Structures are given as C-alpha cells and as structure tokens.
Amino acid sequence: MTGQRILLCTYGSRGDVEPFVALAKGLQAAGHTVLLATSERFRSFVEEHDVAFFGMSDAALALIETPDGRALMEGGAGWWQRIGAGIRLSRRSGPVNETLMRQTWAAAQAFGPTAIVFHAKLFAAGHVAEKLGIPAFLGALQPMYAATATAPAMGFPSLPVPGYNRLTYWLVRRSIGLFRRAIDRFRREALDLPPVRAGADVLFPPGAGTIAILHAYGSAVLPRPDDWPPHAHVTGYWRLEPAPDYAPPPELADFLDGGPAPVFIGFGSMTSLDPTALGTLVTAALRKAGRRGVVARGWAHLQVGDGDDVLAIDPTPYGWLFPRMAAVVHHGGAGTTAEGFHAGVPSVICPFFGDQPGWARLSHALGVGTEPVPRDRLTADRLAAAIVRATEDPILRENARALGARLRAEDGVARAVRIVTTAAP
C-alpha cells in the first residue's frame, strides 16, 4: 500500500537515530511520506539524507555531557559518586521528559500521520497514536520489551533461576512505568485522554490497540524466540549503506594507505571524567599490542598521544570504515555493535552500562569477539591482550567474516516497511 504518512520518533545517540534514518529512506523509496522527529543536534545528519526533520529539545542529551552525566556513565567513578549523580540527574530529567512528550504531540499535529514508529525513549508516541486512532509500532534496537523464557532482557546477566528471564522484562517495563504520573498528566492536559491503569501502560497504552514490536537486528545474531507473541518481529538490522561516492578525509585515506590494517577504538556517545587519561590508555594499549590505531574522539573527546601510528578522527561512516579495520574496539552500543558485526571483523567490546554488557557477552558467545573488557576494569594491559587476540585468532576472524556475510544478505528495512505499511490505513 502506498501513499502513507509515517511519523518516526527516536531519541538518544547516533546509534538510536541512524536506524530510523535508514527506515525513513526505505519508506520513502516505497512511496510513503516520512517525518523524523529527534534531537535538534541531528538535524544536519537527517536532512543530508533527504528526510524531513522535526527538531526536538537537546536537553536530555546535554545532561549526559554534564559532570553528573559523565560520572554516571564512567565505569571508573566510585559507587557513591555514581549514585549521587543519578539522583541529581533524575531530578532534572522530569521537565526534560515532559518537553519531549509535548514535542512528540506537536510533531504529530504538524504532520498528520497515518502510523507512528517510535523508540522507547519517546514513549509518549504510543499515547499520541491512541489519540489519533492510528497504528503504532515500537522500534526496538535490542530485545527488552517482548518477554521470553529463553533469555533475559538485554543487559541483564544470565542466572539459572526459574522465572528469572521473564522477570527481567517485567523490570524493564516497571522502570518505564516510573513515568506514569508524567504520562497521565500529558494524557489529561495535552491529549484529553483518561489516565492509564498500570505502569506497563506507559509504553503500551491499551487504548492504542496492539503495538507491534519491530526488533531491528539480525536473526543470525538473535533468533526469534518461539514463545514470543505474533506481534513481536525480528526484521533484520535497519542500516544506512555507505554512500558509493563517499570520500574520507585526506589524512584518514593517507593513514589507511600507509601501513597494515589498523585497529579502530571508539566509545561513541559514552562520556568520560578524564578524556586525556582514557585516550592515553587506549594509545598505550595499541602500542603494547604492536598495532596501528584509528581512534574516534566521540562524545568523550578522547585525546590521543602523538605519533604516526595513531590517528584521531571525527565522525566517519562506520559502514565504510569498519571493513577496513583489523578489529574494532568499542563500548557495545547497539548501533556500533551492529556495524562491527556487519563489517566481518572481530570485536573487542568494553561495555560501560545499560544493554552494552549484553551485546558484549553475545559477541563473545557468537565467536566473533573476545571476552568483554568492562570499562570499570579497563587497563592498557587488558586491552592490549584483547587486541592481540582479536587480530591474531584465525577462528575469530573466520567467524566474524561468516556472520558479516549472513547479515549483509538480510534486508531488515524492507521487512519493516512491509509490516508498517500493511498495517497503516
């Protein structure tokens, strides 16, 4: 069915935004009109892909870059420091979330969608869909919302306790349910709707009908559990292919041509209390491992040492860069992990928090990555040892190559487009 008007709502780091841009392009190619609502800082990135943009507040992302935000994410920060930071951030996040709720409604009012696809961080979208009487779809970049007995929600440890796996999904919904009072106020004041009945209704309001969950990752990475409900899908990854005419900055092109394939190191949107110390650590690890390195500055603004064996870079399309690496070292964000898997090169994941430990464990279980090196235990010696294994273990290299080939044969965007547009009126 063509001619639909699809509102896409997402929020977070680039790893949360880029898959929705890929979906937007797929919807447009199929003849549909799209508006993508997300943080204002991604305006140029979205618009350079010829996708219509609705700007939302950057305040929630700005909180990550405050000293409290850095302390909460930094594995090296003490527990009391992190707890205090979390309390202060929670007090400041309330007004920020209320702004995002109202901006989600404003985007829908301006656009007049026939369907909405949304990220869980913009949970007001399901309530907006209820108000408009249109289908809503939750775009999930990790398995956290459809309960199964086969595995815990992404990021939770595996425990041999009866009923534990399903409990973890209840805990995820319970955490989102902490916003129930805010969502009830939004429903009353902005949407003229009655309050929800339970915390789980914050993400899945009953009045919106069945909200299908589109898990945007590959079945070769996480197969669909048999005990999922019919409305939970595994579509495959939503990826932006590198532009065929992409040309890297001259210094990067020269560096890649100047020696053997380097190792990529970058921690994406993870911030740091001491970017210089973290940059020094990764530079030392590369040199201990005897490897050249490409280091992404990222949101931490990593500072690397001098020398012609390490190059610091600004944002570069991972789909172009990663296949040219000997291995990729990163924080384990869903988007970066996906690009590492697709590239067909071994991974070293240094998880900071959230779902990242889950992707790190999965990378190792799939045989495409080393054992995780968590941020709070990260040292130059440990990272160097992991880099050596990632670059020299032939089994890791072959497993990574085979997984990348399987994932590149899958068109997750096309499958998601079919599901969304078939349900839209």
Side-chain angles (χ1 to χ4, degrees):
M1 186 179 295
T2 59
Q4 303 305 311
R5 297 179 65 81
I6 314 296
L7 174 62
L8 306 183
C9 301
T10 187
Y11 202 85
S13 67
R14 176 162 171 155
D16 297 297
V17 176
E18 186 166 319
F20 281 78
V21 175
L23 179 60
K25 290 173 70 69
L27 286 163
Q28 290 179 166
H32 307 287
T33 303
V34 177
L35 177 67
L36 195 155
T38 193
S39 170
E40 185 65 37
R41 74 170 58 185
F42 293 105
R43 175 182 290 275
S44 61
F45 171 60
V46 173
E47 292 182 339
E48 74 184 20
H49 288 283
D50 298 319
V51 174
F53 178 83
F54 184 94
M56 305 181 81
S57 170
D58 193 50
L61 299 183
L63 287 176
I64 297 173
E65 297 168 331
T66 64
D68 281 337
R70 293 190 179 98
L72 189 64
M73 288 190 180
E74 185 74 63
W79 276 107
W80 287 113
Q81 186 179 9
R82 297 176 76 183
I83 290 171
I87 292 172
R88 288 188 293 272
L89 286 174
S90 66
R91 290 171 178 165
R92 298 172 63 184
S93 66
V96 171
N97 274 306
E98 293 194 15
T99 296
L100 293 177
M101 292 180 201
R102 293 183 179 275
Q103 289 177 333
T104 302
W105 176 224
Q109 288 178 299
F111 185 58
T114 56
I116 298 177
V117 184
F118 67 101
H119 190 294
K121 289 174 185 170
L122 294 183
F123 47 78
H127 304 267
V128 169
E130 176 184 348
K131 175 66 175 179
L132 297 178
I134 61 176
F137 304 82
L138 175 62
L141 306 182
Q142 55 278 108
M144 298 183 73
Y145 312 106
T148 175
T150 62
M154 181 61 75
F156 284 81
S158 295
L159 298 176
V161 177
Y164 166 75
N165 287 344
R166 286 188 172 275
L167 173 65
T168 62
Y169 297 89
W170 179 85
L171 291 171
V172 170
R173 293 197 185 193
R174 179 78 174 178
S175 68
I176 299 173
L178 295 175
F179 294 97
R180 181 180 173 186
R181 295 175 109 183
I183 206 70
D184 278 346
R185 185 163 52 250
F186 170 69
R187 286 171 65 90
R188 181 180 67 250
E189 296 176 357
L191 304 182
D192 192 27
L193 292 175
V196 296
R197 298 172 300 182
D201 297 345
V202 171
L203 190 57
F204 298 101
T210 299
I211 294 179
I213 307 175
L214 309 179
H215 292 88
Y217 51 73
S219 57
V221 172
L222 284 166
R224 185 185 187 279
D226 291 337
D227 59 349
W228 266 3
H231 62 271
H233 308 269
V234 173
T235 65
Y237 283 106
W238 304 347
R239 292 185 68 243
L240 282 177
E241 294 293 340
D245 59 348
Y246 174 75
E251 61 273 20
L252 176 57
D254 291 343
F255 186 81
L256 295 178
D257 290 341
V263 170
F264 169 87
I265 299 182
F267 302 121
S269 60
M270 298 299 99
T271 53
S272 175
L273 290 168
D274 192 341
T276 301
L278 185 55
T280 299
L281 185 156
V282 300
T283 303
L286 285 165
R287 290 174 177 160
K288 285 176 180 285
R291 286 285 175 171
R292 304 193 317 143
V294 171
V295 178
R297 294 185 178 94
W299 290 17
H301 306 290
L302 291 182
Q303 305 295 313
V304 299
D306 296 329
D308 57 8
D309 57 340
V310 180
L311 178 70
I313 62 169
D314 290 321
T316 301
Y318 287 166
W320 181 91
L321 181 66
F322 281 8
R324 292 166 167 80
M325 300 293 105
V328 292
V329 179
H330 58 87
H331 59 299
T336 310
T337 301
E339 291 299 335
F341 288 167
H342 274 85
V345 299
S347 298
V348 177
I349 299 184
C350 307
F352 283 57
F353 79 121
D355 62 325
Q356 296 164 13
W359 291 116
R361 289 192 295 268
L362 180 61
S363 173
H364 182 54
L366 289 169
V368 300
T370 67
E371 290 188 7
V373 187
R375 173 63 186 99
D376 60 2
R377 298 203 295 274
L378 187 65
T379 65
D381 286 339
R382 286 181 177 140
L383 183 54
I387 290 172
V388 169
R389 183 174 175 219
T391 54
E392 296 184 2
D393 187 329
I395 296 176
L396 277 184
R397 291 202 304 272
E398 175 54 27
N399 289 345
R401 184 206 62 76
L403 178 62
R406 290 182 65 186
L407 293 176
R408 291 192 297 273
E410 191 172 41
D411 192 340
V413 166
R415 180 146 193 252
V417 167
R418 286 195 298 273
I419 295 170
V420 170
T421 57
T422 299

